[in-house]
Amino acid sequence: QARSQYFPLRYRNPELALNLADTICKNTGYEEFSLSGLSVSDYPRLEELLNRLTGLFKPKGVAISLPSIKASYIMGSVSSLIAKFKKTGLTFAPEAGSQALRNLLAKDFDSESFFNTLKEAYECSYQHVKLYFMIGIPYEKDGDLDAIIEFASKVSDLRRKTGKPSAMVNISINALIPKPHTALQWFPMQTPEGIKYKQDYIKGKSIQFKKFKISFHNLNMSFLEGVLSRGDRKLSEVILSAFNKGARFDAWSSYFKFDLWESSFKELGIDPLSYLSSRRVDELLPWDFIDTGIDRGILAEEFKKTIAI
């Protein structure tokens, strides 16, 4: 989805990034900031930027965190560089526990390289790791869910090889939403019942692991996001109806009232589940009139490769 929405790839000037960070620090008093990007470790001047940020902020006690970096980037000089940071934890996004599902998602993730370089990070005194996974991926089986727990367990246990206690692992699990303008747009989204089963399955399998902290995205919120993102113009009536009933700031769980949406769908005679079904490749989709810069035929070819895996 990110490639389709933000294409083409662009890099921010390091001088601009440095000036922005300095200005934010001076005007807010924040004691920690993060370099934000879809793949921070792909930024070609990351090492230079980190060196300059470290020189600027370490004397002030301001921490720097790196979200979702590729494990291979921890190697070498960057390994010693991040050792100087306040230890805020490392974040990685394997997306799926099994290699088969990572291949289906076209996720470039080398497990062997990951664990080799994660060991280096532990030797730099890191204690916490956060992992992002998705469930509800096409062709997913219980064995793929088991693989999530096995992967996280290996991540935790690896730290003991450095002579330290096993690592704390925060596991964030979201439901896959096959978004428009991606190769998965023709796939169905799993029903709430199917996602609930998988959430419960993972909870049951992970209960014995005291070093795990697992969080799931709100089931109803994921369902509604899937419906709205894959919907058509008829949903404008549902949105207006929910708004008139009091729906506000629904991205915040404390404000989210799913019953308002349920009653709006029911009153208007619209079945939300119909928007989660699979689509034919030759079918005209509600969002096809939007030109994202990526040819639909290319997405169709990627989709055909996916179902052939």
Side-chain angles (χ1 to χ4, degrees):
Q1 181 190 14
R3 184 190 64 175
S4 298
Q5 289 193 356
Y6 298 112
F7 180 86
L9 176 65
R10 300 176 301 284
Y11 296 115
R12 170 161 280 172
N13 184 293
E15 293 293 340
L16 178 58
L18 194 68
N19 290 336
L20 283 170
D22 190 31
T23 301
I24 290 170
C25 183
K26 288 177 179 176
N27 287 280
T28 64
Y30 287 147
E31 297 178 345
E32 179 181 336
F33 70 88
S34 172
L35 295 181
S36 179
L38 295 172
S39 183
V40 172
S41 51
D42 287 337
Y43 182 60
R45 299 174 69 178
L46 179 60
E47 188 171 350
E48 172 196 342
L49 182 58
L50 289 177
N51 269 310
R52 297 178 66 182
L53 287 170
T54 303
L56 180 63
F57 290 118
K58 189 176 181 183
K60 301 176 183 180
V62 177
I64 306 169
S65 73
L66 300 175
S68 195
I69 60 174
K70 289 183 179 178
S72 58
Y73 207 87
I74 302 177
M75 298 290 280
S77 57
V78 174
S79 177
S80 59
L81 181 60
I82 63 175
K84 301 175 185 177
F85 296 175
K86 178 182 176 181
K87 302 303 182 291
T88 56
L90 291 169
T91 303
F92 301 97
E95 306 294 8
S98 67
Q99 188 60 48
L101 290 189
R102 286 198 288 270
N103 291 342
L104 184 147
L105 295 170
K107 177 67 178 181
D108 180 15
F109 190 90
D110 185 333
S111 293
E112 183 178 356
S113 173
F114 168 78
F115 284 109
N116 287 338
T117 53
L118 182 62
K119 186 170 180 288
E120 287 199 25
Y122 286 148
E123 289 170 348
C124 291
S125 300
Y126 277 89
Q127 305 175 42
H128 306 278
V129 175
K130 185 169 186 177
L131 301 173
Y132 282 100
F133 291 99
M134 292 189 293
I135 55 176
I137 300 170
Y139 314 122
E140 187 175 58
K141 299 180 175 63
D142 286 354
D144 297 302
L145 305 180
D146 293 331
I148 292 176
I149 302 301
E150 293 165 6
F151 187 95
S153 177
K154 190 173 179 180
V155 165
S156 180
D157 291 342
L158 181 63
R159 192 168 183 267
R160 289 191 292 184
K161 293 186 177 181
T162 66
K164 303 177 180 71
S166 54
M168 291 294 302
V169 181
N170 292 326
I171 307 169
S172 178
I173 301 178
N174 295 333
L176 171 67
I177 300 173
K179 291 289 182 68
H181 311 296
T182 73
L184 298 182
Q185 65 183 354
W186 292 284
F187 274 115
M189 179 178 172
Q190 195 147 78
T191 64
E193 292 75 18
I195 296 297
K196 180 67 165 56
Y197 164 80
K198 294 183 177 184
Q199 289 181 347
D200 291 341
Y201 184 93
I202 291 173
K203 287 177 185 176
K205 290 285 185 175
S206 64
I207 195 168
Q208 61 180 302
F209 296 95
K210 306 303 181 185
K211 293 281 188 175
F212 287 5
K213 182 180 179 181
I214 300 181
S215 62
F216 296 95
H217 191 252
N218 184 291
L219 185 63
N220 290 328
M221 200 175 286
S222 293
F223 170 72
L224 185 59
E225 181 184 345
V227 172
L228 293 178
S229 66
R230 293 167 60 88
D232 53 26
R233 66 185 66 186
K234 290 189 295 184
L235 291 185
S236 60
E237 299 179 57
V238 177
I239 295 170
L240 179 60
S241 173
F243 174 81
N244 288 333
K245 293 175 186 293
R248 302 288 190 280
F249 304 110
D250 287 53
W252 297 354
S253 57
S254 56
Y255 285 86
F256 182 55
K257 298 175 182 177
F258 186 60
D259 59 309
L260 302 181
W261 292 92
E262 283 186 306
S263 62
S264 295
F265 280 117
K266 187 174 181 180
E267 289 172 10
L268 293 165
I270 296 175
D271 178 12
L273 286 172
S274 66
Y275 292 102
L276 306 185
S277 60
S278 59
R279 310 291 181 96
R280 301 190 318 274
V281 177
D282 61 350
E283 181 180 346
L284 181 64
L285 302 175
W287 50 85
D288 277 342
F289 72 96
I290 300 173
D291 182 6
T292 65
I294 297 180
D295 187 84
R296 189 180 192 274
I298 295 175
L299 297 179
E301 287 302 314
E302 290 185 12
F303 171 72
K304 292 173 183 177
K305 291 178 184 177
T306 297
I307 61 178
I309 292 177

